């Protein structure tokens, strides 16, 4: 699990204290997500990782698992090239 996934898991664990959520586990299928929680997750991602989640990013597939959220963040994060 990389640092991004670890941060996401820490955030999600606050909502699912009795479940050890795995990187590939579908949080929608587990029944953990409602519309209010989904908005909290989007806000967390935007604030924690300093990225903007656009309307086209708001698909279930981007938020279904820890890995899918991490992949979205990695796609949205600008690559810094050190010279």
């Amino acid at each position: 699990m990389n640092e991004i996934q670890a941060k996401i898991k820490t955030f999600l664990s606050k909502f699912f204290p009795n479940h050890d959520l795995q990187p590939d586990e579908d949080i929608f299928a587990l029944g953990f997500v409602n519309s209010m929680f989904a908005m909290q997750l989007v806000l967390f991602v935007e604030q924690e990782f300093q990225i903007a989640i656009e309307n086209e990013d708001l698909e279930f597939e981007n938020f279904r698992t820890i890995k899918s959220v991490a992949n979205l963040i990695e796609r949205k994060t600008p690559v810094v090239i050190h010279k």
Side-chain angles (χ1 to χ4, degrees), residues 1 6 64:
M1 183 176 294
R64 194 171 292 285

Side-chain angles (χ1 to χ4, degrees), residues 2-3 14-15 25 27-28 33 53 67 69 72 83:
N2 67 26
E3 184 180 344
K14 295 176 196 172
F15 298 90
E25 250 180 314
I27 61 175
F28 294 98
V33 179
I53 301 298
K67 273 189 175 176
V69 176
L72 172 65
K83 293 185 177 185

Side-chain angles (χ1 to χ4, degrees), residues 28-77:
F28 294 98
L30 292 171
F32 289 145
V33 179
N34 59 31
S35 58
M36 181 62 97
F37 173 76
M39 290 309 301
Q40 287 177 295
L41 179 56
V42 169
L43 286 173
F44 163 77
V45 167
E46 288 185 321
Q47 292 171 352
E48 181 70 27
F49 299 98
Q50 300 295 302
I51 60 173
I53 301 298
E54 309 295 338
N55 285 342
E56 62 267 16
D57 301 321
L58 295 175
E59 296 179 10
F60 285 129
E61 291 305 316
N62 287 330
F63 295 93
R64 194 171 292 285
T65 67
I66 291 173
K67 273 189 175 176
S68 63
V69 176
N71 289 339
L72 172 65
I73 293 164
E74 289 166 3
R75 285 194 311 272
K76 303 285 289 181
T77 303

Side-chain angles (χ1 to χ4, degrees), residues 12-30:
L12 292 175
S13 295
K14 295 176 196 172
F15 298 90
F16 323 128
N18 299 321
H19 185 82
D20 182 24
L21 195 59
Q22 299 304 305
D24 288 323
E25 250 180 314
D26 186 331
I27 61 175
F28 294 98
L30 292 171

